[in-house]
Amino acid sequence: DQQVKQNSPSLSVQEGRISILNCDYTNSMFDYFLWYKKYPAEGPTFLISISSIKDKNEDGRFTVFLNKSAKHLSLHIVPSQPGDSAVYFCAASLTGTASKLTFGTGTRLQVTL
Amino acid sequence: DAGVIQSPRHEVTEMGQEVTLRCKPISGHNSLFWYRQTMMRGLELLIYFNNNVPIDDSGMPEDRFSAKMPNASFSTLKIQPSEPRDSAVYFCASSFAGTYIANTGELFFGEGSRLTVL
């Protein structure tokens, strides 16, 4: 029972263009959402997060959008750079659960020259 | 500052053998998590500890899996006996979860232990 879903296993984008990674969730009780980035042979690292009281959070080239009614969030990377090539995991949590995160299956982003 | 330290980085073993994975969380963190990464299921939470106490082990797949946290700076995940389907990358992560402060949910992951069971 996958409560957090990333339906696109991979995405290829040209350098300089926008990358859009999507994530859907089924548990309406989730109220905090995060994106993690993972390079090969390394552990995932935190990228950006958003609370359910917001619908957008921006950090430099990275913006996360949350649509609570659709139970959908997306990560936008503008402009995409070759160093952004990695696997991106979407995660969700419930406030008060001591950081317990439920992750999606990941989307592999490749930024081509 | 040292991050989360996991050992071994790679383990190759034969079916039926016991496997022990080790984790040292970031000093000062009071929550520790064991995750397993597979292609089909992504990152699955196996178990997490808060203040060295197991809080939720509902993700532990079978009785063959066990985890301990004898003190704030060390945890083990044991598989006995191991099976080929246990082959995966196992991640340990830690965080600080304050009792009365909102926590961001950010986890700090180790580099993982890649397990191959033949």
Side-chain angles (χ1 to χ4, degrees):
Chain A
D1 178 26
Q2 200 78 18
Q3 295 189 67
V4 177
K5 301 177 183 179
Q6 294 176 258
N7 293 319
S8 298
S10 64
L11 175 67
S12 183
V13 171
Q14 268 192 326
E15 181 181 12
R17 301 288 185 106
I18 183 171
S19 296
I20 300 177
L21 294 91
N22 294 302
C23 177
D24 297 292
Y25 60 96
T26 58
N27 187 343
S28 58
M29 300 296 289
F30 286 141
D31 57 5
Y32 201 83
F33 304 89
L34 307 90
W35 285 92
Y36 279 74
K37 179 178 178 179
K38 184 185 177 306
Y39 292 118
E42 294 184 10
T45 55
F46 171 74
L47 184 59
I48 191 170
S49 63
I50 187 168
S51 164
S52 61
I53 62 173
K54 295 184 176 181
D55 54 19
K56 176 182 174 182
N57 188 27
E58 197 170 346
D59 183 2
R61 296 186 296 113
F62 302 90
T63 303
V64 56
F65 295 93
L66 175 63
N67 182 334
K68 290 187 292 293
S69 61
K71 297 193 186 70
H72 177 84
L73 64 156
S74 60
L75 175 68
H76 293 211
I77 307 173
V78 184
S80 301
Q81 298 175 354
D84 296 329
S85 298
V87 177
Y88 290 79
F89 289 97
C90 171
S93 75
L94 301 167
T95 300
T97 55
S99 308
K100 178 181 173 182
L101 299 181
T102 301
F103 283 87
T105 51
T107 296
R108 180 177 301 277
L109 173 66
Q110 183 169 7
V111 180
T112 59
L113 298 173
Chain B
D1 285 345
V4 175
I5 299 172
Q6 291 187 245
S7 64
R9 291 294 310 277
H10 302 274
E11 175 90 8
V12 180
T13 190
E14 292 188 345
M15 183 173 65
Q17 296 298 306
E18 177 179 295
V19 173
T20 299
L21 307 178
R22 297 172 178 80
C23 175
K24 177 178 169 53
I26 292 172
S27 177
H29 283 185
N30 61 358
S31 295
L32 182 139
F33 305 78
W34 283 100
Y35 280 87
R36 177 171 68 176
Q37 183 191 5
T38 61
M39 289 294 291
M40 291 300 294
R41 302 179 67 86
L43 283 164
E44 296 177 273
L45 177 64
L46 300 177
I47 185 169
Y48 83 92
F49 297 83
N50 188 243
N51 294 321
N52 311 337
V53 176
I55 303 300
D56 183 349
D57 65 355
S58 59
M60 296 286 262
E62 300 171 33
D63 291 346
R64 299 183 297 106
F65 286 69
S66 62
K68 293 182 180 179
M69 191 165 186
N71 57 62
S73 59
F74 183 66
S75 176
T76 59
L77 177 68
K78 187 175 291 187
I79 309 172
Q80 165 65 15
S82 58
E83 297 183 1
R85 59 191 167 126
D86 302 330
S87 298
V89 181
Y90 291 80
F91 288 101
C92 176
S94 70
S95 74
F96 178 77
T99 305
Y100 298 109
I101 61 173
N103 67 78
T104 63
E106 181 181 348
L107 300 185
F108 295 83
F109 283 82
E111 294 184 317
S113 294
R114 179 175 294 277
L115 173 64
T116 303
V117 183
L118 303 174

